[in-house]
Amino acid sequence: MGIIERIKEIEAEMARTQKNKATEYHLGQLKAKIAKLRTQLLEPPKGSSGGGDGFEVTKFGHGRVALIGFPSVGKSTLLTMLTGTHSEAASYEFTTLTCIPGIIHYNDTKIQLLDLPGIIEGASEGKGRGRQVIAVAKSSDLVLMVLDASKSEGHRQILTKELEAVGLRLNKRPPQIYFKKKKTGGISFNSTLPLSHVDEKLCYQILHEYKIHNAEVLFREDATVDDLIDVIEGNRKYIKCVYVYNKIDVIGIDDVDKLARQPNSVVISCNLKLNLDRLLSKMWEEMGLVRVYTKPQGQQPDFSDPVVLSADRGGCSVEDFCNHIHRSLIKDVKYVLVWGTSARHYPQHCGLSHPMQDEDVVQIVKKKEKEEGGRGRFKSHSTAPARISDREKKAPLKT
């Protein structure tokens, strides 16, 4: 029996099992088994070098955004409108067969937008180049899930389920669970608050399913069984997602209003070029890019070419800003002057841990190089002759 058949068999058993207090331990073990099998499904086959026939797209710009959706929902048209890059669009499905990149120039930054082939139900099992599409989505900073506003809401649920099956968690944060394997000592289970979903026995059973018999587990929030399995697996990717509803020109205004009020959602029409500016501002807001402008000493700030920082790509502190310019710069920094919304007064003397905000201006003050031998009476060497006979003799006093 293959991995996919075993997964479907366990899912059928979970569907048959009634959910109550007596079966929660059994269901927890079944969830752990499915997670292990799905991880095996994503691993490259034994004996291979690990590389697959993925899409060869080099990272470019200050951020990467992936367009994901069913075939014929308007992904290629959206790419052409936002970037100017031509991506073939036609009235039949699977027009796009490979990954087509484009560049969005927005707020002095360059954002890479990727038009991916449409995915179908079963993509997590490899149907319709689904694994390659999802692999590119994992390497992105933001996912734009393009949906047809005239179709049912079930499309969004199917896509979310396919992405979650391969370890992508949309609009979620990592669970506050501390987990560390040990060599000896058994399993240590603690929590900082009362737990309603997981108890010590269930945690032991899940860890034994993974053949982990020595570990330390600390719950800092009331997490679920799925959260615990995610932490044990350790290969989950938590990524932001914006739901883009296209083709709003074919539905009523009440339906458009209902879709627009959903969280993390934007309604657009590529046919009539409606609301594209709102989509760009939502992308900028979700990506959290921070532009920092440099100011040379005694000169005006350079507003033409900002240094773009991101919490997902290194961080947004002064230290991250210095490392972005050059790794060796941080050794020579004495202090930093900051103008902008992150400063309490202008200019503010800041240290390396100061968090930067968008459109801040920074001036780096370096340490002065020490003069050789010190200064004044603290000189390390004398300028006098080394031998007594070479000293200049004073003239005799006149009497």
Side-chain angles (χ1 to χ4, degrees):
M1 186 184 292
I3 296 175
I4 296 172
E5 288 79 12
R6 284 160 66 190
I7 289 173
K8 286 181 178 176
E9 187 180 317
I10 295 171
E11 284 177 341
E13 187 180 347
M14 288 176 66
R16 289 194 305 266
T17 307
Q18 291 184 346
K19 292 177 176 63
N20 53 48
K21 196 72 177 173
T23 60
E24 64 179 7
Y25 300 113
H26 179 60
L27 288 170
Q29 280 187 307
L30 293 178
K31 286 180 180 178
K33 283 181 181 177
I34 284 183
K36 278 177 63 180
L37 290 170
R38 281 185 174 148
T39 303
Q40 290 177 24
L41 196 63
L42 295 175
E43 289 174 355
K46 290 180 180 179
S48 69
S49 59
D53 55 340
F55 301 121
E56 296 177 0
V57 181
T58 307
K59 272 197 173 186
F60 180 82
H62 304 113
R64 174 182 267 197
V65 178
L67 293 170
I68 282 187
F70 280 100
S72 297
V73 292
K75 299 187 296 297
S76 299
T77 311
L78 183 61
L79 176 87
T80 305
M81 287 191 168
L82 293 180
T83 66
T85 306
H86 176 68
S87 180
E88 189 179 350
S91 58
Y92 53 87
E93 294 188 346
F94 295 105
T95 313
T96 305
L97 298 175
T98 184
C99 180
I100 299 172
I103 302 297
I104 301 173
H105 296 271
Y106 187 72
N107 285 349
D108 295 330
T109 61
K110 296 173 184 175
I111 300 170
Q112 188 181 40
L113 186 65
L114 302 178
D115 178 22
L116 297 167
I119 62 176
I120 56 176
E121 193 170 359
S124 58
E125 299 167 3
K127 292 182 182 177
R129 304 202 75 179
R131 284 189 200 170
Q132 293 94 316
V133 172
I134 291 166
V136 174
K138 275 192 172 182
S139 68
S140 304
D141 303 307
L142 178 71
V143 168
L144 290 186
M145 189 182 288
V146 186
L147 302 160
D148 191 335
S150 62
K151 299 286 177 67
S152 66
E153 187 63 19
H155 281 191
R156 173 171 164 174
Q157 295 170 2
I158 292 169
L159 285 172
T160 304
K161 183 182 174 184
E162 293 295 330
L163 295 176
E164 292 209 340
V166 293
L168 272 173
R169 300 290 178 263
L170 303 180
N171 296 327
K172 292 181 181 177
R173 57 177 181 80
Q176 297 295 306
I177 302 173
Y178 173 76
F179 172 73
K180 184 180 179 182
K181 290 183 184 178
K182 298 190 296 186
K183 292 183 178 178
T184 57
I187 295 173
S188 169
F189 180 87
N190 290 296
S191 63
T192 59
L193 72 172
L195 300 178
S196 59
H197 304 288
V198 181
D199 58 10
E200 193 169 353
K201 182 183 174 184
L202 181 55
C203 179
Y204 279 22
Q205 287 186 340
I206 291 171
L207 289 172
H208 287 173
E209 186 66 40
Y210 282 93
K211 297 180 182 176
I212 299 171
H213 306 290
N214 299 290
E216 192 176 340
V217 182
L218 173 62
F219 280 75
R220 295 194 179 99
E221 67 176 10
D222 188 13
T224 62
V225 177
D226 296 316
D227 293 334
L228 177 60
I229 292 170
D230 287 350
V231 171
I232 295 170
E233 285 282 348
N235 59 356
R236 304 304 191 227
K237 170 86 180 201
Y238 296 87
I239 193 167
K240 293 175 182 174
C241 177
V242 175
Y243 303 99
V244 182
Y245 289 92
N246 189 22
K247 304 181 184 179
I248 58 170
D249 49 315
V250 298
I251 60 173
I253 190 66
D254 294 336
D255 296 327
V256 173
D257 183 61
K258 183 181 175 183
L259 293 173
R261 291 182 185 278
Q262 293 183 2
N264 302 309
S265 298
V266 178
V267 292
I268 65 166
S269 171
C270 292
N271 186 28
L272 301 179
K273 299 182 181 179
L274 293 176
N275 215 25
L276 296 178
D277 52 346
R278 170 63 187 146
L279 175 60
L280 287 172
S281 64
K282 183 69 175 176
M283 282 169 52
W284 178 264
E285 179 188 330
E286 291 295 329
M287 292 181 76
L289 297 179
V290 174
R291 294 165 292 169
V292 180
Y293 299 96
T294 55
K295 180 186 180 301
Q297 201 163 356
Q299 299 179 30
Q300 292 294 320
D302 179 16
F303 291 113
S304 61
D305 189 18
V307 175
V308 181
L309 305 174
S310 169
D312 298 328
R313 291 192 178 191
C316 299
S317 65
V318 171
E319 183 177 358
D320 302 319
F321 168 76
C322 295
N323 288 331
H324 195 279
I325 295 173
H326 200 280
R327 290 285 178 186
S328 62
L329 178 62
I330 202 161
K331 297 184 293 185
D332 303 325
V333 175
K334 185 178 181 182
Y335 61 88
V336 172
L337 296 175
V338 177
W339 292 261
T341 52
S342 70
R344 296 179 184 175
H345 47 81
Y346 300 153
Q348 181 180 344
H349 284 58
C350 299
L352 296 175
S353 61
H354 178 76
M356 309 296 297
Q357 293 184 14
D358 193 29
E359 295 189 308
D360 278 358
V361 176
V362 171
Q363 177 183 320
I364 296 174
V365 179
K366 291 186 175 182
K367 298 172 185 173
K368 289 185 178 178
E369 294 182 5
K370 293 182 180 178
E371 297 176 8
E372 282 192 28
R375 187 172 56 184
R377 62 195 181 96
F378 298 104
K379 285 184 178 179
S380 60
H381 65 275
S382 173
T383 56
R387 295 186 300 175
I388 294 175
S389 58
D390 293 337
R391 289 182 181 175
E392 187 180 341
K393 292 180 181 179
K394 292 182 180 179
L397 293 172
K398 291 180 181 181
T399 56

